[in-house]
Amino acid sequence: MELTIAQKLEALLKLQTIDSQLDEIKKIRGDLPEEVRDLEDDIAGFETRIGKFNNDIQALEEEIERNKNVKKDAEKLIGRYKDQQMNVRNNREYDAISKEIELQTLEIELADKKINEAAFKIRNKQEEIKATQGALDERKADLKAKMQELDQITGESQEEEKELMGKRDSQADHIEERLLKSYNKIRDNAINGLAVVMVKRGACGGCFNVVPPQRQADIRDKKKIIVCEHCGRIFADVEGVPEPAPTGRR
Ligand SMILES: [Zn+2]
């Protein structure tokens, strides 16, 4: 069954009243939910960073281990070459083995250099972990405090909010989709969350611009949905009794 304009406006106004109550609850919570979300994001970011540093350290420790093995092998070879040098038959053989020893000595030096570099990097990463851990602990403490605060505020209004949400859903069901869409759009763009307003003392209840008497009369008639020409809000009705029309004119 198609609703009359008056019924549609009444339904919209009811929805607006519920939404305004919900807005009020959200206002009390203020920026807390967003602050909690930001802190949670920060914490996740720091934890990822620490995880990455730990992975880096592990890779560096493996590199150190690898280079220690390289050193061990080179030292073994040098020992063997030195034994061989005792039994050479000529200078040429002696020089050839000396070259091999020199090569393995260089291998050891290079491995030492790599070990030192990796150890240096590990110390840096550990410093970074310490700093990040400090920031992480701070954020965690912040988050705990904010969550408690939010829980307390939410706890107080949770029941009421749940009830209002239920009411909102069933009220929205009474309103045709196209109208609901424009209602939501107007509400999204309005700072005060008002999409449906009354004309109060001759002015729009949303933007306070004057509504001319003839337009007020049209709004009262409810033959069509009339929106404020300044802010686009839907007029539900005009508050108070109509002023008597000036006599002797029109
Ligand atoms: Zn307006």
Side-chain angles (χ1 to χ4, degrees):
M1 189 193 77
E2 179 75 4
L3 297 178
T4 64
I5 296 292
Q7 286 169 323
K8 285 180 187 178
L9 287 172
E10 197 188 334
L12 276 174
L13 189 60
K14 269 188 189 157
L15 184 66
Q16 177 67 71
T17 308
I18 297 166
D19 277 338
S20 293
Q21 284 172 296
L22 281 165
D23 287 347
E24 205 50 47
I25 290 174
K26 288 194 186 108
K27 212 160 87 191
I28 293 167
R29 279 179 209 157
D31 295 333
L32 269 175
E34 204 180 316
E35 284 170 21
V36 165
R37 263 198 306 281
D38 285 350
L39 283 168
E40 283 169 342
D41 286 350
D42 282 359
I43 287 169
F46 286 140
E47 279 171 346
T48 307
R49 253 170 90 183
I50 290 176
K52 198 187 157 289
F53 287 144
N54 278 323
N55 285 343
D56 290 349
I57 287 176
Q58 207 189 333
L60 288 163
E61 279 169 348
E62 281 164 10
E63 198 187 320
I64 289 177
E65 217 35 57
R66 254 197 322 277
N67 279 295
K68 278 183 178 167
N69 285 331
V70 167
K71 269 178 76 177
K72 251 186 232 158
D73 290 345
E75 278 158 5
K76 240 187 258 167
L77 275 175
I78 288 174
R80 211 181 297 155
Y81 290 145
K82 279 187 174 162
D83 287 345
Q84 283 175 15
Q85 250 177 351
M86 305 287 188
N87 306 309
V88 290
R89 282 164 300 185
N90 53 47
N91 275 348
R92 228 188 55 173
E93 270 186 35
Y94 187 90
D95 287 346
I97 292 173
S98 287
K99 249 216 161 87
E100 286 301 325
I101 291 175
E102 204 179 309
L103 221 66
Q104 291 307 317
T105 308
L106 284 175
E107 280 285 322
I108 290 171
E109 277 172 18
L110 189 66
D112 269 333
K113 196 173 161 242
K114 282 181 182 168
I115 288 169
N116 285 337
E117 275 171 7
F120 177 75
K121 280 184 191 163
I122 287 175
R123 280 197 299 277
N124 278 346
K125 303 263 175 204
Q126 281 166 339
E127 283 299 312
E128 295 208 60
I129 287 177
K130 227 167 98 182
T132 310
Q133 187 66 50
L136 176 63
D137 291 344
E138 238 172 69
R139 297 293 198 290
K140 276 186 172 169
D142 272 2
L143 178 64
K144 202 178 154 198
K146 296 257 185 237
M147 292 264 263
Q148 276 172 352
E149 206 181 324
L150 184 60
D151 273 356
Q152 200 191 344
I153 295 172
T154 308
E156 287 162 5
S157 55
Q158 207 166 26
E159 278 301 302
E160 194 190 349
E161 188 182 21
K162 229 173 102 184
E163 206 187 305
L164 282 169
M165 297 281 262
K167 269 196 203 167
R168 189 201 189 273
D169 285 349
S170 55
Q171 187 59 37
D173 283 346
H174 293 310
I175 299 163
E176 62 190 287
E177 209 179 308
R178 192 182 53 82
L179 200 54
L180 194 60
K181 246 189 196 159
S182 38
Y183 167 86
N184 287 330
K185 207 168 142 196
I186 300 169
R187 228 173 90 73
D188 285 346
N189 292 328
I191 303 165
N192 55 9
L194 290 177
V196 182
V197 294
M198 302 287 282
V199 176
K200 289 180 184 172
R201 267 170 262 136
C204 167
C207 70
F208 308 111
N209 277 296
V210 170
V211 181
Q214 182 52 51
R215 214 165 159 74
Q216 291 189 39
D218 292 342
I219 294 164
R220 282 186 200 276
D221 276 351
K222 293 178 186 156
K223 294 226 169 62
K224 57 178 185 170
I225 291 175
I226 296 174
V227 301
C228 173
E229 55 188 335
H230 300 283
C231 66
R233 290 181 174 92
I234 299 163
F235 287 125
D237 206 345
V238 181
E239 257 185 19
V241 284
E243 280 174 38
T247 47
R249 294 170 87 187
R250 281 181 67 174

